[in-house]
Amino acid sequence: MKYQVLAGTLSKIEATSKRKEMTNYLVELFKAITPDHIRDVIGLIRGSPYPDYEDFQYGMAEKMVIKSIANATGLTTDQITEKMKEKGDLGKAAEEELATKKQTTLFTKPLDVKYVSETLDKIGRTSGKGSVDVKIKLLAGLLTNATPLEARYIIRTILGQMRLGMADMTIMDALAIAYTDNATNRPIIERAFNISSDLGLIAEKLVKEGIESVKDFKVTIRHPIRMMMAQRSGETEEIFEKLKGTFIAEFKYDGERLQIHKDGETILLFSRRLEEISEQYPDVCEMVRTQINAKKTIIEGEVVAYNIETGELRPFQELMHRRRKYGIKEAMKAIPVNLFLFDLLYLEDKDFTNKNYPLRRKALEKIVTETEQLRLAVQKEIITEDELEEFFELAVEKGCEGIMAKSIQDSIYQAGARGWLWIKYKRDYKSEIADTLDLVVIGAYMGYGARTGYYGSLLMACYDPIENQFKSVCRMGSGFTDEHLETLQKLLKPYQVSDKPPRVLINDSIITTVDAWFKPAIVLEVQAAELTLSPVHTCALDKIRKGSGLAMRFPRFTGRIRDDKTAEQATSQQEIIDLFKGQLKKIE
Ligand code: ATP
C-alpha cells in the first residue's frame, strides 16, 4: 500500500472536527488495505510503530529534522527555519518547500507504508555514537522520495506533532465498521484494547482471524491493562445507595498508582498513564521480587513516600521527587517508599479481571508476604454510616486522602472505565466544592506587574470523551508561586502552537483574547469554590440550560501538576455536570 493513500486520508481527517466524518475516512482507508499492512497503518495513524506503553522515541530534535529537510531539498537550514517560523509548523514548511524547490531526481520511487514504518522504526532504534548523522540520513532518504503531503506527515510523526484530533475510540469505531460491517461490535474491540493497550495487535487479529478472536482476547503479562477508575461522592447516603447497602472501604493512599507485572524475575511497573517506570523504583521492584510469591502475576497498588524515622506517610508532592531519570540511588535514600497493594488482575495464566473483588483480594492476600514496607491496603467491611465515618477519620489520621468504597457485588475489574463500583470519598469534599478537579491547560494570558514576562493566568479545560474535545471551564490566575510560574512556563513551551488546536472548543468571544495556545497536554489540579452557569465557557454547553455552559468560580492552582495523567485522563465534562447537580442538591 502506498503511503500517499494514508497521507491523503490524514489530511482529510485533519481538515474536519466531526467525528463521524473522521470515522468514514478511516473506514474507506481500512477497506483498501491488505491484512499485512494493518499494523503499520495503525502505528502510522497513532504516531508510533509501538503501543504507547513501549517507551519508543524517534530521538530527533527539531534541528536534526531541519538538517534532513535541507539534505533532501538542497535548501539551507536557515531558509527552512525561516519558513518554519512563517508557517508555525515544520511539517507544513517542508511540504511547501518540497512542492516548490524539490530537486527532481529521476530516481524517486513512491513510498510504501511498510517501508515508511520500517524506516521510522530504524530511526528510533539507532542510538549511540554517530547516531545523529544516521538518523538525519535516514529521514532525508524518506523525504527525498516523499511527495509534499507525505513530507508533512512524516515530519509531524517524527516530531510527535500529528495534531489529528482523533481519539482511539474513533479508530475502534472505524475498525468495527470496516471489518465487521457493524458499529455495535466496537465494545468488543474496546474491551480487548482495555486489557492489552495494543490497538495494532488487536486490529491485526481482527483482520486476520475475525471478531470472534477479538472476543477471546486474553490478559497478557507485560501488556498493561488500562486502569479502573473511581467515581467521586461527597454524600455517604449516595455511597450506600450505589453500593447496595454494604461494601468494602479501603484507605485511599496519597501516592502514585502502579500496575505491577511480575514475570519470573522480571518486574515491570506501569504508571497511571501506562508508561513503564520500573527504573524509577528499583526498591519497589526488589520488594515485589522477594515478597510476592507468584511466578506470573499482575497486581496493583499505591506507592507512597514515608518518613523513615516516624513511619508516617508523606504527601504525594514529596513522592514527585522520585520522578527522575538520574540520581535514583540518592532519591531512593532521601525519599523511601511504602507499597500498599489493593488488587490482583492476573495470576499464573488466569485472568482475574472478570472475578468479583473479594475473590481478587483473597488471591492477592495469598501471594503477599507483608512487611513494614510492603503491605495490603487497610480495609474494612462497612454496614453502617457510623462505621464509615469512623473508618474515614482513621484513614485521614493515618495520612491518607480519604477512603475508597468498593463494591462487593458484581464487582469485576472494569478496565479503562470510571464506574460506580469504586467510589472515592475524600477529605477535600468537606471543604469548598466537592473535590479538586484535574484540568488541562489550553491557553494563557500574559501577566502584568510582578508577573510580566510570565503567564498571568491560564485557560483551563475539561475533556469530553464523546465529542473528543477539550472544553473551557475557567480562567485560573491564583494559587501560583513564582516557582510555579517558572516551572509552568518551561513545561508548557513545547506544547505551544500558533492557533487554537482543533480539539479545543471555546466561545468565539474569547478566542482573540488568548495570548498563547497549547496543545492539550499539561494537566493541573484545581480547587474552586463552586460551579456556576456561564455564558462564556463551553463545558456542558446546552446540557443544563440552553446557551449556557458551566464555569468554576474562584479557581485556584493547588500546586500539584498531574503529570501522571494524560490530557484525556483529565476530569470529564460528565463529572463536572455531576458535581454541579450534587451542588444543587445540597442547596435544596
Ligand atoms: P484522584 O485525583 O482522586 O487521585 P484520579 O483521578 O487520579 O484520582 P481515580 O481513579 O479517580 O484517579 O482515583 C483513584 C486513585 O486513587 C487511584 O488511581 C489510585 O492511584 C489511588 N488509590 C489510593 N488508594 C487506593 C485504593 N485502596 N484502591 C484504589 N485506588 C487507590
Side-chain angles (χ1 to χ4, degrees), residues 514-541:
V514 176
D515 294 318
W517 293 106
F518 304 104
K519 227 170 100 176
I522 302 294
V523 180
L524 305 181
E525 191 179 77
V526 183
Q527 175 76 60
E530 61 175 330
L531 290 161
T532 63
L533 286 167
S534 153
V536 174
H537 290 291
T538 48
C539 163
L541 184 62

Side-chain angles (χ1 to χ4, degrees), residues 250-252 257 302 406 418 424 426 562 565:
E250 269 172 20
F251 282 8
K252 184 177 193 306
R257 175 130 170 216
E302 190 91 350
K406 297 185 174 179
R418 191 184 288 280
K424 50 185 174 181
K426 290 205 258 182
R562 293 297 309 250
K565 283 193 168 182

Side-chain angles (χ1 to χ4, degrees), residues 87 163 442 496-502 516-519:
K87 293 272 142 198
R163 310 181 181 179
I442 52 171
Q496 189 166 353
V497 285
S498 47
D499 297 309
K500 182 186 78 62
W517 293 106
F518 304 104
K519 227 170 100 176

Side-chain angles (χ1 to χ4, degrees), residues 41-55:
V41 168
I42 296 282
L44 289 167
I45 294 173
R46 298 183 82 248
S48 164
Y50 300 98
D52 298 343
Y53 60 83
E54 301 250 352
D55 184 22

